[in-house]
Amino acid sequence: MNILILGGGGREHALAWAVMQNPKCDKLIVAPGNAGIAQIAECAALDIENGGAVAEFCDANAVDFVIVGPEAPLAKGVADRLRDAGLLVFGPSEGAARLEASKSFTKEICDAANAPTAAYGHFTDLAEARAYVEAQGAPIVIKADGLAAGKGVIVAMTMDEALGALDDMFGGAFGGAGAEVVIEEFMEGEEASFFVLCDGEVALPFGTAQDHKRVGEGDTGPNTGGMGAYSPAPVLTDVIAQKALDEIVTPTLQEMTKRGTPYQGVLYVGLMIKDGQPRLVEYNVRFGDPECQVLMMRLGAQAMDLLQAAAEGRLAGCDVNWADDHAVTVVMAANGYPGSYAKGSVIKGVGDCPEDSSHMVFHAGTATVDGQITASGGRVLNVTARGASLQEARDRAYGMVDQIDWAGGFYRSDIGWRAL
Ligand code: AMP
Ligand code: GLY
């Protein structure tokens, strides 16, 4: 098969790495890719949010199967456009991608599906939103309705913070994404992510992970896209995962089908777990980044077969073969991230790190300049390892981090601390 992966971060490097190991893959192209992906696949410059351009590219390059990495092309209907052109695609339609693209839509689906989640109000008017916050009190969670690159959620511990967030959102701080606001009850508990493959009808659990969203040691400081992750998530026991499937995921999929927008792709189910009860925090319509890196490290080549089965509506009867293993990824980020940071610093030592089924440095924001690897983004490398225990995986990952010589970057030294 000729396979095209859309995206160019660590998530897509991990997907490419898994796909390349599968003997079914004859040729792999990643658009746009990055310096690490270029070492294992062909990279193509392509506007991945333009469905017409991607369809033309697939035609010209005899692509058989497209795997969509990030949410933006999905929210713009790229998967629909490709399916219209007769291509096999892994990733939901524009209508089904609303589970990530609109927080109020997700809440409406939870209501209809009777899925446990935070109580909420949905507002398009500042005065009404302020009155609701004043009546509820803090802590409270304020969310811009639309896609805001992970920045549209304010967990407000005080009334001042909550009202300030409302003023910012209605004032246009998130552009169109903030013209509508969802205000949620603050949920306590431990967060974990549950990944489920869906083929429109059947849901197949595809692994669990926990990431570290805060930039600083001990989960402190500003939110980021994720500073590291590990899989499995011990808090998401089999019993809790089954509860999440029965009470949240399956009723959601049934509701989506009922509305004429069946869900196909991976559903990222963000959960808050307290006293053995999972509640939905959010859905994403794609793999997490960096959660995908630890899932792919554990799944290897079979990931490609299962993604294909989901795209072809053949998940019934499919199984995931889990080893009794653990994986950890440590994100190396440019100094200053998630604030402003410099680009172009040289990274040495990546080539000295082992590359095998238990060790891999996935690239996120990198470029090759004059034959050297340089930083070209905020999150730059995902140093990933597998082991028989979380401790072993973690020791291996930090062993590789020690081999990397990059004065322009930093990392958290405590990934996995909660589980250990
Ligand atoms: P979201 O983009 O919806 O995942 O929100 C980002 C982060 O905000 C989540 O990962 C949680 O840590 C936190 N969060 C979101 N909603 C809530 C809530 N209702 N209660 C507590 N924390 C929340
Ligand atoms: N790591 C969080 C996300 O991908 O949304």
Side-chain angles (χ1 to χ4, degrees):
M1 277 181 119
N2 295 335
I3 299 162
L4 171 67
I5 296 177
L6 301 184
R11 168 181 50 210
E12 288 76 24
H13 192 184
L15 287 167
W17 177 82
V19 165
M20 278 304 288
Q21 292 172 44
N22 192 302
K24 267 195 230 159
C25 175
D26 295 311
K27 181 177 180 187
L28 177 64
I29 309 174
V30 184
N34 62 36
I37 295 171
Q39 293 169 9
I40 60 168
E42 185 181 324
C43 292
L46 183 61
D47 178 1
I48 64 168
E49 293 180 25
N50 178 337
V54 179
E56 266 174 43
F57 180 89
C58 290
D59 187 41
N61 291 275
V63 169
D64 303 299
F65 182 33
V66 183
I67 299 169
V68 185
E71 66 278 12
L74 296 167
K76 289 196 170 155
V78 168
D80 308 71
R81 190 61 229 278
L82 297 177
R83 276 192 278 267
D84 289 347
L87 283 149
L88 183 66
V89 185
F90 178 80
S93 66
E94 181 177 355
R98 291 187 73 205
L99 285 176
E100 177 166 357
S102 168
K103 303 220 182 257
S104 59
F105 176 75
T106 295
K107 299 304 278 190
E108 184 190 312
I109 294 288
C110 285
D111 284 347
N114 210 9
T117 184
Y120 76 106
H122 173 210
F123 301 92
T124 53
D125 176 79
L126 175 60
E128 286 174 22
R130 287 183 71 100
Y132 182 82
V133 164
E134 275 160 1
Q136 299 294 317
I140 194 159
V141 182
I142 315 285
K143 301 186 173 186
D145 185 70
L147 290 179
K151 298 192 181 76
V153 175
I154 310 291
V155 179
M157 299 314 288
T158 65
M159 184 62 81
D160 277 355
E161 247 183 291
L163 296 175
L166 285 180
D167 289 340
D168 286 349
M169 282 184 196
F170 282 102
F174 300 101
E180 284 184 53
V181 167
V182 168
I183 303 176
E184 280 186 10
E185 164 202 357
F186 173 78
M187 292 188 286
E188 283 177 31
E190 188 168 348
E191 270 188 274
S193 305
F194 184 33
F195 295 89
V196 184
L197 289 187
C198 310
D199 69 0
E201 254 176 70
V202 176
L204 179 69
F206 201 56
T208 64
Q210 270 174 300
D211 82 343
H212 293 263
K213 290 205 164 89
R214 304 295 194 94
V215 75
E217 307 278 323
D219 295 325
T220 55
N223 260 321
T224 70
M227 291 301 294
Y230 50 97
S231 172
V235 63
L236 241 171
T237 60
D238 290 347
V239 171
I240 295 178
Q242 191 62 47
K243 244 179 186 271
L245 209 53
D246 294 342
E247 296 176 12
I248 300 173
V249 178
T250 301
T252 293
L253 296 178
Q254 285 167 349
E255 182 64 25
M256 294 301 284
T257 299
K258 199 168 113 191
R259 292 177 183 226
T261 48
Y263 191 90
Q264 186 264 87
V266 62
L267 190 62
Y268 169 142
V269 186
L271 296 171
M272 190 69 81
I273 299 158
K274 190 165 178 250
D275 303 329
Q277 178 63 47
R279 294 166 84 192
L280 183 74
V281 178
E282 60 162 348
Y283 283 129
N284 292 311
V285 299
R286 41 137 185 114
F287 284 109
D289 188 346
E291 293 93 325
C292 186
Q293 289 80 316
V294 284
L295 293 179
M296 292 304 130
M297 182 107 258
R298 296 184 62 209
L299 289 163
Q302 63 175 317
M304 145 93 201
D305 294 320
L306 293 165
L307 266 50
Q308 186 189 350
E312 290 176 347
R314 292 191 286 104
L315 279 182
C318 284
D319 285 315
V320 185
N321 293 312
W322 289 108
D324 191 10
D325 60 359
H326 297 255
V328 170
T329 188
V330 178
V331 172
M332 297 184 80
N335 292 335
Y337 174 81
S340 61
Y341 52 82
K343 291 185 183 178
S345 55
V346 174
I347 305 165
K348 293 196 173 134
V350 177
D352 300 330
C353 291
E355 282 195 6
D356 56 37
S357 62
S358 294
H359 302 82
M360 191 65 202
V361 178
F362 295 118
H363 290 227
T366 62
T368 305
V369 178
D370 297 333
Q372 304 207 85
I373 294 173
T374 63
S376 66
R379 291 189 297 168
V380 174
L381 297 172
N382 310 139
V383 183
T384 311
R386 200 161 68 96
S389 63
L390 180 60
Q391 186 67 52
E392 185 179 47
R394 190 181 194 239
D395 291 345
R396 286 178 172 163
Y398 281 109
M400 290 194 285
V401 167
D402 287 342
Q403 283 180 267
I404 295 172
D405 174 12
W406 179 30
F410 74 99
Y411 58 90
R412 276 182 58 169
S413 64
D414 63 347
I415 301 305
W417 69 273
R418 213 181 276 278
L420 287 166

